[in-house]
Amino acid sequence: MALGPEHPGRVRGVGAGISPKQYFNLPKPQRVSFDDRLKDGLRVLLQEETRKMEAKAREEALRMEARTKQLVEAEREHFLSQLSQLIPNFDPSMLKPRISQSPKNPMSDKASCSGGDVRSQHFEDDTAKNGKHQEEKVNKVVDYSNMEAPSSLQTLCRYVETTLVPQDKTLHFTIDKEVFGLERDTFLLPEDITQFAGMEEIGATVIAVYMRYLHDVLKQANMCTMVGFIDPATVSASSGTIADRSRLVASRLQKTDGEQIFLMPYNPGRHWILLIVRAKRETVYFLDPLPGNRVVDEEAKNIVNSAIKIYNSHIARSGRKAVIWKILSGTPKQPSNVECGYYVMRFMKDIIMDPSLGFEKKYAKGKQEEPYPQEAIDEVRNEWAEFVCLQLE
């Protein structure tokens, strides 16, 4: 009664004018169920969320690994220091692993460039030093006013002698995430400061601290989108496998729009060089403060080449067959075998002080191969010391 009288040739409950032939012969695609469409949508959403969670987990793992390594090294140094006080004539270096003379296994990130006798050398991290040796370094400097060093460095040395050494303390502060892509703690030992004041060989921590200072310079000049930094402590030789270091560099490159250049101090063993990575152009520049016809370290080459391939995959670009490497041989050359770290610091300063980033033309072959005047190096040392003084409690 509700549907009314029967009408031949129509489908009841569908509507007027719809015949059985029209209704029951609808094409199959129009009968896709709502459940199927819902399942497809959920599948896509799940895949996207999974990718996000995996990326977040990888980043967190890298952060935890870096912090754990620093804490372990700090505890180890404290333990060795206690043993040195308890056991007469105890030499902590006896507990450090010896290495071969192979250039693939550098003795230290402290760089002397001498390449001399390596038979008695050991691994020597910035955060693991011989306490007795440290004490001897500080005692060398008696009259700080007569030091050939900026006044800010003399002030730091007095702080080392009067506070750090008597209290068996280190200088600790945090490098923000925006500097190297990952936040990390930094420990400056008394020995780091006195070696820097005495123009001796320096390690990754000293250079990383200066990069932290340069980051502030970039912020003031609104150049952070133009220049970035790669932590030398995580990519130099003996910092991990080539694959691990490549992934760390690639992760840093991915945090950019592509036009930014990255300054990457690198220590292949007993020497500091500077690499400038321009990922979007698949080009790397090699700056070496040692005189002579220098060649790019193969391990550094493999690390950066692999990192750029990973970066290309990240931005869905096939890329060229081989990364372009350019040796900028016209850099100022160090006069002896201990200045390489200071020269790399000065290279970075000169590069970012030019808003046009014209370093390629500036350091072309034959342009300038004389050493920096000492005043230019002291300018860098003074900036480093003034920044560290701001971190004092």
Side-chain angles (χ1 to χ4, degrees):
M1 291 174 64
L3 293 173
E6 191 71 50
H7 295 281
R10 297 185 183 179
V11 181
R12 181 176 292 184
V14 173
I18 304 298
S19 67
K21 183 177 180 181
Q22 291 173 318
Y23 181 76
F24 291 105
N25 289 327
L26 287 174
K28 289 184 179 180
Q30 296 183 25
R31 295 186 179 182
V32 176
S33 69
F34 173 76
D35 287 345
D36 291 337
R37 294 196 301 273
L38 180 60
K39 289 177 182 177
D40 290 340
L42 289 175
R43 188 180 298 109
V44 173
L45 180 61
L46 180 60
Q47 291 173 347
E48 181 63 26
E49 288 300 316
T50 300
R51 282 194 292 268
K52 290 181 181 178
M53 288 188 290
E54 288 176 346
K56 185 176 180 180
R58 285 193 297 269
E59 183 175 344
E60 184 64 25
L62 289 174
R63 184 183 300 113
M64 291 300 296
E65 181 181 355
R67 287 184 177 180
T68 300
K69 181 179 178 181
Q70 291 160 358
L71 289 174
V72 169
E73 290 295 345
E75 288 295 329
R76 181 177 183 275
E77 170 58 21
H78 179 70
F79 174 69
L80 292 177
S81 176
Q82 294 296 320
L83 287 179
S84 297
Q85 297 175 13
L86 294 173
I87 305 175
N89 300 321
F90 174 72
D91 182 5
S93 65
M94 293 164 51
L95 302 181
K96 299 176 183 178
R98 294 183 179 272
I99 67 166
S100 68
Q101 299 184 35
S102 167
K104 291 293 183 179
N105 297 300
M107 286 68 65
S108 168
D109 72 347
K110 296 288 186 183
S112 68
C113 313
S114 62
D117 186 7
V118 301
R119 288 171 295 183
S120 62
Q121 297 290 339
H122 313 130
F123 272 119
E124 190 174 15
D125 194 327
D126 275 344
T127 55
K129 300 294 178 187
N130 185 316
K132 181 179 178 182
H133 177 59
Q134 171 183 312
E135 196 172 19
E136 291 172 356
K137 285 283 184 182
V138 176
N139 290 338
K140 280 183 181 180
V141 182
V142 178
D143 185 359
Y144 295 110
S145 62
N146 292 330
M147 287 182 63
E148 293 183 2
S151 59
S152 54
L153 263 177
Q154 296 176 27
T155 299
L156 270 181
C157 286
R158 282 191 290 269
Y159 182 79
V160 167
E161 185 181 47
T162 59
T163 304
L164 294 187
V165 172
Q167 299 180 21
D168 192 23
K169 294 175 62 177
T170 63
L171 282 182
H172 166 256
F173 54 96
T174 300
I175 296 182
D176 302 333
K177 178 180 179 179
E178 58 183 356
V179 180
F180 295 130
L182 291 173
E183 179 182 294
R184 78 171 180 90
D185 293 330
T186 299
F187 299 89
L188 274 176
L189 299 176
E191 180 181 354
D192 293 320
I193 296 171
T194 55
Q195 285 180 341
F196 190 75
M199 278 295 293
E200 299 178 43
E201 56 198 50
I202 56 176
T205 296
V206 172
I207 294 178
V209 168
Y210 187 65
M211 296 167 82
R212 170 63 183 85
Y213 160 77
L214 289 179
H215 178 75
D216 287 345
V217 176
L218 288 172
K219 287 176 68 174
Q220 294 173 3
N222 294 319
M223 291 177 62
C224 288
T225 57
M226 299 169 61
V227 182
F229 299 110
I230 296 175
D231 189 351
T234 61
V235 297
S236 293
S238 77
S239 299
T241 67
I242 291 179
D244 289 340
R245 288 180 278 164
S246 294
R247 283 191 289 269
L248 285 171
V249 175
S251 175
R252 189 73 182 107
L253 298 180
Q254 289 167 14
K255 296 178 175 67
T256 176
D257 60 4
E259 292 295 343
Q260 192 176 27
I261 66 168
F262 284 90
L263 304 182
M264 176 179 156
Y266 182 83
N267 191 331
R270 302 184 67 90
H271 180 54
W272 283 106
I273 60 173
L274 178 64
L275 301 179
I276 304 174
V277 183
R278 188 165 250 157
K280 190 169 184 179
R281 300 186 187 180
E282 298 178 90
T283 302
V284 184
Y285 302 91
F286 174 81
L287 288 72
D288 192 331
L290 272 180
N293 297 320
R294 306 284 293 169
V295 295
V296 182
D297 177 76
E298 283 300 316
E299 191 169 276
K301 209 169 185 178
N302 291 335
I303 290 168
V304 180
N305 287 348
S306 297
I308 291 179
K309 286 183 180 179
I310 298 173
Y311 169 79
N312 284 338
S313 176
H314 174 75
I315 63 173
R317 178 177 70 176
S318 59
R320 56 168 57 96
K321 290 183 178 180
V323 175
I324 297 174
W325 284 77
K326 296 186 177 182
I327 298 177
L328 302 183
S329 58
T331 57
K333 302 304 180 185
Q334 62 190 85
S336 66
N337 61 2
V338 296
E339 297 93 352
C340 55
Y342 304 88
Y343 270 56
V344 164
M345 292 164 67
R346 183 71 206 199
F347 290 166
M348 291 191 289
K349 174 182 173 66
D350 289 347
I351 288 168
I352 71 171
M353 293 307 291
D354 177 11
S356 69
L357 298 181
F359 58 87
E360 182 175 1
K361 183 177 180 181
K362 178 179 181 179
Y363 295 131
K365 184 176 181 180
K367 287 288 183 178
Q368 48 177 318
E369 299 180 0
E370 294 297 320
Y372 278 122
Q374 186 60 39
E375 292 78 10
I377 300 301
D378 285 345
E379 185 178 353
V380 168
R381 296 165 73 209
N382 182 62
E383 291 167 346
W384 184 91
E386 287 183 344
F387 176 79
V388 173
C389 283
L390 294 177
Q391 316 305 319
L392 302 180
E393 298 178 354

